[in-house]
């Protein structure tokens, strides 16, 4: 009996390379954070804007709040941690929020300090140097 080498097993069929999902085009328009800042700054409330009032303002502007509820809450939390908003009442994403006036002062102060340090004067309406 002649021994015949067994035929090599058929090579596993080559897997077709996975096609990457087409990148979704980025939606045009302002981000949620920008919409929130705009809504809070437009409010005349002294104690700030509550979360419910903020959601109503976003919904009136055409933003789908029910679908993007978590996105709204995350945006509020990040704006508070950045210092753009100040939380006057509540904790987390609930409560009332106002625009932080001190942050606007800090940016102007930082420009003045840089100008003094480098002995450069800045024109108040532009970032160009005025010698």
């Amino acid at each position: 009996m002649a021994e015949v080498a067994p035929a090599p097993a058929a090579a596993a069929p080559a897997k077709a390379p996975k096609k990457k999902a087409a990148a979704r085009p980025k939606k045009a328009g302002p981000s949620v954070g920008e919409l929130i800042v705009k809504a809070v700054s437009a409010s005349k409330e002294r104690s700030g804007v509550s979360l419910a009032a903020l959601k109503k303002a976003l919904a009136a502007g055409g933003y789908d709040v029910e679908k993007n509820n978590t996105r709204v809450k995350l945006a509020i939390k990040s704006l508070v941690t950045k210092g753009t908003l100040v939380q006057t009442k509540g904790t987390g994403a609930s409560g009332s929020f106002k625009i932080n006036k001190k942050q606007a002062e800090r940016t102007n102060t930082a420009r003045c300090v840089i100008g003094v340090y480098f002995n450069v004067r800045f024109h108040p309406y532009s970032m160009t140097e005025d010698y």
Side-chain angles (χ1 to χ4, degrees):
M1 288 186 125
E3 288 190 30
V4 178
K15 293 183 180 179
K18 291 184 180 180
K19 294 181 182 178
K20 293 184 179 179
R24 293 182 188 172
K26 194 171 183 180
K27 290 186 177 181
S31 66
V32 184
E34 292 172 5
L35 290 172
I36 291 171
V37 169
K38 202 177 291 185
V40 172
S41 62
S43 172
K44 303 294 182 194
E45 291 294 321
R46 185 174 170 203
S47 61
V49 181
S50 67
L51 179 65
L54 193 58
K55 286 181 179 179
K56 283 182 183 177
L58 290 174
Y63 189 75
D64 190 4
V65 178
E66 288 184 20
K67 183 179 177 184
N68 301 313
N69 192 24
T70 55
R71 198 169 273 138
V72 170
K73 288 182 179 179
L74 285 173
I76 289 172
K77 285 181 183 178
S78 68
L79 288 170
V80 169
T81 54
K82 284 180 193 173
T84 308
L85 292 181
V86 176
Q87 191 165 15
T88 58
K89 295 178 187 173
T91 58
S94 63
S96 297
F97 305 93
K98 287 171 38 173
I99 295 288
N100 189 2
K101 293 181 181 177
K102 291 183 180 178
Q103 187 180 22
E105 290 178 11
R106 284 185 200 145
T107 56
N108 291 340
T109 307
R111 262 180 67 197
C112 292
V113 169
I114 291 171
V116 169
Y117 183 75
F118 291 109
N119 198 17
V120 177
R121 291 180 307 167
F122 289 99
H123 192 272
Y125 298 112
S126 68
M127 290 297 292
T128 58
E129 296 169 358
D130 184 29
Y131 291 105

